[in-house]
Amino acid sequence: MAARFLTLLSAELQMETSVGAVHLPRDPRARPDSKFAMANPLGDPGVPYVNRDSPATRIASVHQLINYLNVTVSYRYQRTTANTFCNIYACDVCYFSHAYLPRVWWYSRSIRKLQSGQPVEVSYGETVHELNANALHDWLNEWGDDFRWSRITTHADDFQNLVNGNGSIGLICARNRDRARSGHITVVLPETDQLKATRQAGRVIYPLQSQAGGENIKYFSAQKGACWTWERFDSFGMYLWG
C-alpha cells in the first residue's frame, strides 16, 4: 500500500515483549469512504463492534457490521487498476468482531527478538509489515491456533453449522500458485432467516460469505461457487474463530 495512505501515530511508541497480536492504531482518516490509512484499523467512531453476549446478539450484530461496512459500495474496498482489497475487508470485519486477523505482522527478525524476551518497538516497515491474502493463508496455518482460529478439515456443511452455532465468523483463504499474484480471502457468516448458504440434498455446499476483491459482494453463496478450489490456487483452508 502506498506510504501516503499510512499513519504510524502512537504505534511508534508501543513496545512488545512477546509474540502477540499487533496492530497499528485506529486512525480517524481510515473510513469506509476513504483510502487513507489502509494499513490501520478503521477509525470511524460509528463502526459497530459485534456484541458477543449471546449467540443471538452475535449473529444480529455481525450482520449489522456487514451492513455498516457495505463492501459493495464503500470506497475503501473498491479495487484499483493495480490492487484488490479482500485482505483489508476481512481484517476490518475481524477487528470489529473481536477476532484477530493481522493487517500487519512481525518481521521474522522481530519474532526472533520477541521469542528471546527482547522488547520490540512497533514500527511500520521496520518491525512489522502488511500481509496480503497469500500471506494470510500462511499465517492462519502457522499462527492461527494461537489466536483462536481452528482449521476445519471436514465438509462445508460442518463449517457453516459451526459458524451458525457459535454466532461467530469464519474465513476461507486461498493462496495463489503465483505468489506475485493475488490470493483470496472471504468472510463466512452465520445464516439468518433471510440469508442462507447454498445446500444440495440438505447439506451446505457453498457457505454464506462476504467479500471484497475482483468483485465486491456483501452476501453470496452459490454466485462464486467453490472459488477457493480454482486452478490458480494451490492451497486453501477454512477457519473458524472462537
Side-chain angles (χ1 to χ4, degrees):
M1 211 60 56
R4 67 179 180 275
F5 291 158
L6 306 176
T7 181
L8 304 185
L9 299 177
S10 61
E12 293 287 358
L13 306 177
Q14 181 181 352
M15 302 292 284
E16 296 286 345
T17 56
S18 62
V19 185
V22 60
H23 294 287
L24 298 182
R26 292 184 68 181
D27 185 328
R29 299 179 303 160
R31 303 186 311 272
D33 64 353
S34 167
K35 282 196 186 302
F36 284 103
M38 295 287 275
N40 298 69
L42 288 165
D44 179 351
V47 183
Y49 279 92
V50 169
N51 181 332
R52 301 200 57 78
D53 288 348
S54 70
T57 59
R58 289 196 291 269
I59 291 170
S61 56
V62 163
H63 289 287
Q64 181 184 10
L65 172 62
I66 295 300
N67 282 303
Y68 187 94
L69 297 179
N70 200 5
V71 68
T72 307
V73 300
S74 291
Y75 183 54
R76 180 172 170 90
Y77 312 116
Q78 298 308 305
R79 67 177 303 171
T80 67
T81 55
N83 296 301
T84 57
F85 301 103
C86 63
N87 56 327
I88 295 178
Y89 179 61
C91 288
D92 284 348
V93 173
C94 288
Y95 185 93
F96 291 95
S97 299
H98 311 283
Y100 181 65
L101 185 70
R103 187 64 196 91
V104 296
W105 184 242
W106 305 105
Y107 280 113
S108 296
R109 60 182 177 272
S110 302
I111 290 173
R112 291 193 294 271
K113 290 181 179 179
L114 291 166
Q115 289 174 333
S116 70
Q118 299 178 60
V120 177
E121 183 177 342
V122 180
S123 179
Y124 180 87
E126 298 288 336
T127 61
V128 299
H129 62 101
E130 296 182 55
L131 298 188
N132 61 20
N134 290 327
L136 285 173
H137 168 280
D138 295 342
W139 183 91
L140 284 160
N141 285 338
E142 181 176 0
W143 293 96
D145 58 354
D146 292 320
F147 295 92
R148 299 178 61 183
W149 290 104
S150 300
R151 186 167 186 175
I152 307 302
T153 57
T154 53
H155 195 273
D157 188 65
D158 300 317
F159 185 31
Q160 184 71 66
N161 288 335
L162 287 166
V163 171
N164 291 347
N166 286 351
S168 186
I169 58 171
L171 300 170
I172 302 176
C173 191
R175 185 179 63 191
N176 202 304
R177 294 178 187 278
D178 180 353
R179 302 296 189 266
R181 299 181 68 85
S182 296
H184 192 48
I185 187 167
T186 70
V187 181
V188 177
L189 301 167
E191 295 177 287
T192 68
D193 290 341
Q194 293 77 36
L195 298 165
K196 297 294 185 183
T198 298
R199 288 172 169 79
Q200 188 175 78
R203 301 193 74 197
V204 171
I205 55 173
Y206 308 129
L208 178 65
Q209 297 162 77
S210 184
Q211 72 165 39
E215 183 179 9
N216 290 8
I217 317 173
K218 186 187 293 186
Y219 293 112
F220 70 99
S221 57
Q223 183 172 348
K224 306 292 286 186
C227 59
W228 54 91
T229 64
W230 290 351
E231 176 62 26
R232 67 172 176 264
F233 302 128
D234 66 358
S235 178
F236 75 89
M238 298 181 178
Y239 308 88
L240 175 74
W241 188 84

